[in-house]
Amino acid sequence: MTDTQQTPRTPQDFESAVARETAVASFDTHEKSPLERIRHFLHSSPASVPLIVLVLSLVIFAVIVGSRFFTPFALSLILQQVAIVGIVGAAQTLVVLTAGIDLSVGAIMVLTSVIMGQFTFRYGMPVELAIACGLALGALCGFINGVLIAYLKLPPFIVTLGTWQIYLATTYIYSANETIRAQDIEANAKLLQFFGEKVPIGGATFTYGVFIMIVLIAILWYVLNHTAWGRHVYAIGDDPEAAKLSGVSTKRVLIAVYVLAGLICALAGWVSIGRNGSVSPQIGQFANIESITAVVIGGMSLFGGRGSIMGMLFGALIVGVFSFGMRMYGTDVQWTYLIIGVLIILAVAIDQWIRKVAG
């Protein structure tokens, strides 16, 4: 038997091997620049940008408008104004997280509010049952959207563009463009105006609509951040194929998202009756645009999988602060639209810059 011959190792071989290991290690310890650190922080905390913008906008209007802007009553008025947008924006947030978009949210809100009113006054239905029917219809509208998107694989933009027109036309045909007056509702169906009732706290005045918005957003924040279902919503928006391979029932989750979004829009319809006092098919038609504005300014990625519902709330508040502040300053309302348009473009540009971290 012959011994296996081995080439003897020299000290130079050992040193070269160590050098190679050191080179690999030095690559992993690359130090990030301050700009890269900021981008990574914003990527991991998507609500931070709208929060910073919100604080800056409050400071700016406190300076240019004066002490009138920072009174408890003035600040509570801003919350009252954004309550409906915040609720509809919560529905839009769920959809956008899945890389979709829902143009029908405003139409669902108006349709369900009309159903609540008409069922009460046209058919003499108990107001509690009429409200339940409106909420159920909102969920049904969302279910239709979800099935068309999840099972027929149609683009969310096209589906909801079509159902937006269908739901809106149905509202006008069914209601015959009739408005139910606030006096009649107050006398015969006070519960429809429940979310418009005012609650004075100190020098501020809130409505139950503000409270339900806060409670709803708090619940959804917990669900999205601390439940398996919430993680599945983010996973579908980030990479639906990977989510499906990991065992997520993508179709069920998508349908659940749209059903929940429709139900939330129906809740917004009930809140809108309290806010406006009356039931009208003309009110709230642009809630879809307003909700998308809040979502985009709030730092949500329209590509899905990234964002925070708290960011959406901050985005809605930013719009409310600018609208209220510019009005107090005495400027033309068109300047408000101009500034909000600039904010939307900047928000999308910042999102594109932040997304490079994930790439």
Side-chain angles (χ1 to χ4, degrees), residues 37-356:
R37 290 178 182 176
I38 292 173
R39 193 161 66 182
H40 273 271
F41 168 74
L42 296 178
H43 185 268
S44 61
S45 180
S48 55
V49 174
L51 177 59
I52 293 169
V53 174
L54 176 60
V55 172
L56 288 176
S57 62
L58 287 169
V59 171
I60 290 170
F61 282 110
V63 171
I64 65 175
V65 175
S67 58
R68 293 179 302 152
F69 186 79
F70 255 124
T71 62
F73 181 72
L75 294 177
S76 63
L77 278 180
I78 295 173
L79 284 172
Q80 290 182 41
Q81 290 177 358
V82 304
I84 296 174
V85 175
I87 294 172
V88 179
Q92 193 72 256
T93 296
L94 294 172
V95 175
V96 170
L97 283 175
T98 63
I101 196 164
D102 193 343
L103 297 177
S104 68
V105 287
I108 295 174
M109 183 188 80
V110 177
L111 174 60
T112 53
S113 68
V114 166
I115 290 297
M116 292 176 191
Q118 292 291 341
F119 276 24
T120 301
F121 286 89
R122 184 184 296 185
Y123 305 124
M125 185 179 290
V127 63
E128 296 85 359
L129 184 56
I131 291 170
C133 289
L135 295 173
L137 178 61
L140 176 61
C141 291
F143 178 77
I144 293 170
N145 288 343
V147 168
L148 292 174
I149 292 164
Y151 282 93
L152 298 186
K153 304 294 184 182
L154 300 177
F157 181 87
I158 301 301
V159 168
T160 58
L161 179 63
T163 54
W164 171 28
Q165 301 294 327
I166 293 170
Y167 299 153
L168 206 57
T170 302
T171 302
Y172 286 124
I173 293 170
Y174 176 73
S175 68
N177 209 17
E178 176 188 356
T179 297
I180 302 174
R181 299 183 308 165
Q183 299 92 322
D184 296 332
I185 296 175
E186 187 174 2
N188 302 294
K190 186 69 174 174
L191 186 60
L192 287 174
Q193 296 177 335
F194 170 74
F195 288 112
E197 293 183 12
K198 291 180 170 55
V199 181
I201 301 176
T205 302
F206 299 96
T207 61
Y208 286 115
V210 172
F211 295 140
I212 195 64
M213 177 193 70
I214 294 171
V215 170
L216 174 67
I217 290 175
I219 292 172
L220 290 177
W221 176 87
Y222 178 84
V223 169
L224 289 171
N225 289 278
H226 297 283
T227 67
W229 187 83
R231 289 189 291 272
H232 293 168
V233 170
Y234 276 98
I236 290 172
D238 188 49
D239 190 338
E241 290 303 321
K244 189 174 182 179
L245 290 173
S246 64
V248 176
S249 180
T250 54
K251 291 180 180 178
R252 285 186 180 182
V253 173
L254 274 176
I255 290 177
V257 163
Y258 281 93
V259 168
L260 183 56
L263 181 61
I264 292 171
C265 291
L267 175 63
W270 185 8
V271 174
S272 73
I273 298 174
R275 170 71 179 162
N276 300 299
S278 60
V279 174
S280 172
Q282 303 289 343
I283 295 174
Q285 293 182 12
F286 298 104
N288 54 351
I289 304 300
E290 293 170 346
S291 67
I292 295 170
T293 300
V295 164
V296 172
I297 295 178
M300 300 283 299
S301 174
L302 294 178
F303 298 96
R306 195 185 73 82
S308 166
I309 196 165
M310 292 304 299
M312 181 282 302
L313 176 60
F314 297 149
L317 288 172
I318 289 168
V319 175
V321 167
F322 271 93
S323 300
F324 189 73
M326 298 288 278
R327 205 159 51 241
M328 289 189 73
Y329 190 63
T331 58
D332 193 298
V333 68
Q334 302 304 327
W335 285 102
T336 304
Y337 296 141
L338 187 149
I339 292 173
I340 291 172
V342 171
L343 287 175
I344 291 172
I345 295 171
L346 285 175
V348 174
I350 292 171
D351 174 63
Q352 292 287 321
W353 178 66
I354 293 173
R355 280 176 62 84
K356 291 181 181 178

